[in-house]
């Protein structure tokens, strides 16, 4: 299943962000610590690099992610000299308190009343941008909700005389190239429910958990994971929780929802759906698949052209 989601307000948000980037000193990009690369919007990199703006990349929800994977991602991102990576959770005030100082370090020439530090918070839907902004300001100024795309307009607010913050709507990109990225984003609640089939997302997540964290499935649901595939895991959740529909069959839909909720809430444990190594491997596989597709398309086009020329000569 290929998941795509790019509501109309996101196109407008992209245009507005591009216009504002000229007047921004530091981009604060918030990503999901459980899938730091899949939740990086390539449009953010494109816009900030065009204006040569440094980036504070915040790996939010670190309390839900695998600590070892998070440490590897921080090291990976900081290979870019213009990026500072910071793993944190907006649930901890002590984590939030460090954000502004880290941003100031990226633009030491700003941060006084005559030249206030101007920061733009960017990221995909439902990664905690608005929660972060509210925490920084210590008051509720941005809408927060457990649904993607709650924030739909951009707003600029002064933290103090020396610091201004621009909050932006959650922004995906027009085409998610790798199907696994769309599924990971859907599992992590970054994509609207109208753009996905929850059962299929749950099966994909179950298969990932079987590969990466089978012991967590055992601990949470008491499953014999050695005997299961993704469908079997969801059915096992239904059996363990007693989810049945009329007629006695397992309620696959309810079990799928429960598995996704347990992952999203952290009830399953601390989980990361990618590491720098698995990301590199997935990109290599995707590149090879695209190469094969391109070659097949080229052959088909050449055959069609040859057939057209033969027909032309015959006439």
């Amino acid at each position: 299943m290929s998941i795509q989601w790019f509501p109309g307000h996101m196109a407008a948000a992209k245009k507005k962000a591009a216009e504002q980037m000229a007047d921004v000193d530091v981009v604060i990009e918030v990503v999901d610590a459980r899938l730091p690369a899949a939740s990086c919007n390539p449009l953010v990199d494109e816009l900030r690099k065009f204006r040569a703006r440094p980036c504070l990349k915040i790996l939010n929800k670190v309390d839900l992610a695998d600590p070892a994977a998070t440490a590897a991602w921080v090291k990976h991102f900081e290979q870019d000299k213009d990026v500072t990576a910071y793993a944190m959770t907006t649930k901890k005030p002590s984590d939030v308190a460090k954000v502004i100082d880290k941003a100031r370090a990226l633009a030491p020439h700003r941060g006084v009343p005559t030249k206030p530090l101007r920061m733009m918070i960017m990221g995909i839907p439902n990664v905690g941008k608005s929660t972060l902004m509210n925490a920084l300001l210590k008051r509720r100024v941005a809408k927060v909700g457990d649904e993607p795309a709650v924030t739909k307009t951009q707003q600029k607010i002064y933290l103090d005389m020396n610091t201004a913050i621009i909050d932006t709507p959650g922004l995906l990109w027009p085409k998610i190239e790798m199907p696994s990225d769309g599924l990971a984003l859907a599992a992590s609640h970054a994509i609207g429910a109208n753009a996905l089939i929850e059962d299929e997302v749950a099966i994909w997540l179950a298969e990932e958990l079987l590969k990466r964290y089978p012991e967590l499935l055992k601990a949470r649901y008491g499953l014999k994971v050695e005997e299961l595939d993704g469908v079997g895991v969801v059915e096992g959740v239904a059996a363990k929780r007693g989810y049945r529909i009329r007629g006695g069959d397992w309620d696959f839909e309810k079990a799928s929802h429960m598995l996704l909720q347990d992952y999203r809430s952290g009830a399953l444990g601390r989980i990361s759906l990618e590491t720098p190594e698995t990301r590199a491997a997935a990109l290599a596989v995707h590149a090879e698949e695209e190469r094969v597709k391109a070659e097949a398309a080229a052959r088909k086009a050449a055959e069609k052209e040859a057939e057209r020329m033969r027909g032309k000569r015959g006439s």
Side-chain angles (χ1 to χ4, degrees):
M1 178 177 66
S2 179
I3 295 175
Q4 306 292 337
W5 191 52
F6 195 69
H9 78 273
M10 288 189 185
K14 177 192 173 185
K15 183 179 178 182
K16 186 67 174 177
E19 292 170 355
Q20 286 276 2
M21 193 63 68
D23 299 319
V24 168
D25 304 304
V26 175
V27 171
I28 299 177
E29 183 185 12
V30 184
V31 301
D32 189 323
R34 297 167 296 182
L35 50 152
S39 60
C40 278
N41 186 339
L43 294 176
V44 174
D45 258 3
E46 177 188 319
L47 293 175
R48 76 169 185 84
K49 286 181 177 178
F50 179 75
R51 292 287 181 180
R53 298 298 187 255
C55 178
L56 174 59
K57 195 179 290 284
I58 290 180
L59 283 68
N60 193 29
K61 305 184 182 181
V62 70
D63 53 316
L64 302 177
D66 184 324
T70 299
W73 278 113
V74 169
K75 185 176 179 180
H76 172 81
F77 286 131
E78 291 195 336
Q79 291 175 8
D80 184 335
K81 63 180 178 61
D82 293 323
V83 173
T84 293
Y86 176 40
M88 60 164 285
T89 170
T90 52
K91 295 175 185 176
K92 290 179 64 175
S94 58
D95 283 2
V96 174
K98 298 173 184 175
V99 170
I100 299 302
D101 285 342
K102 289 182 178 292
R104 284 196 182 110
L106 290 168
H109 58 294
R110 308 287 303 193
V112 295
T114 53
K115 290 185 177 181
L117 175 66
R118 302 161 301 178
M119 301 170 290
M120 181 183 285
I121 299 179
M122 304 183 75
I124 68 168
N126 212 27
V127 288
K129 300 180 309 300
S130 295
T131 301
L132 174 62
M133 186 162 184
N134 290 341
L136 289 170
L137 294 165
K138 298 180 181 177
R139 64 185 190 277
R140 188 185 177 93
V141 295
K143 285 185 180 180
V144 176
D146 188 29
E147 286 295 330
V150 170
T151 302
K152 289 186 170 62
T153 58
Q154 193 175 98
Q155 57 179 332
K156 181 177 182 179
I157 298 173
Y158 278 84
L159 182 61
D160 52 42
M161 288 195 309
N162 303 327
T163 316
I165 305 174
I166 300 169
D167 186 25
T168 61
L171 184 63
L172 282 168
W173 50 105
K175 184 181 180 184
I176 299 171
E177 294 291 342
M178 291 201 299
S180 59
D181 281 355
L183 289 160
L185 291 167
S188 303
H189 212 21
I191 290 179
N194 61 333
L196 57 90
I197 300 172
E198 200 167 59
D199 292 5
E200 294 185 11
V201 177
I203 291 169
W204 176 86
L205 176 63
E207 289 172 349
E208 289 299 304
L209 294 174
L210 284 170
K211 287 188 290 186
R212 299 171 187 272
Y213 301 97
E215 70 283 357
L216 296 183
L217 289 172
K218 287 181 184 178
R220 180 67 176 171
Y221 306 117
L223 302 176
K224 294 181 179 179
V225 296
E226 299 81 6
E227 305 168 5
L228 299 176
D229 58 8
V231 172
V233 168
V234 179
E235 289 177 341
V237 172
K240 291 296 181 179
R241 295 290 185 262
Y243 296 153
R244 291 187 181 275
I245 56 176
R246 188 173 295 175
D249 290 337
W250 300 125
D251 191 333
F252 202 87
E253 184 177 342
K254 189 172 183 180
S256 294
H257 185 73
M258 173 56 69
L259 177 64
L260 290 170
Q261 285 299 105
D262 280 354
Y263 159 67
R264 291 166 180 171
S265 68
L268 263 170
R270 299 182 69 171
I271 291 166
S272 292
L273 295 179
E274 57 181 359
T275 66
E277 292 74 23
T278 62
R279 181 69 181 180
L283 288 172
V285 169
H286 177 68
E288 178 61 17
E289 290 172 347
E290 291 300 298
R291 184 189 66 78
V292 171
K293 285 181 188 176
E295 287 182 353
R299 283 195 302 271
K300 187 174 181 180
E303 289 167 2
K304 188 174 181 181
E305 177 63 15
E307 185 178 343
R308 186 185 71 81
M309 292 302 293
R310 283 194 297 271
K312 190 174 179 179
R313 285 194 299 269
S315 63

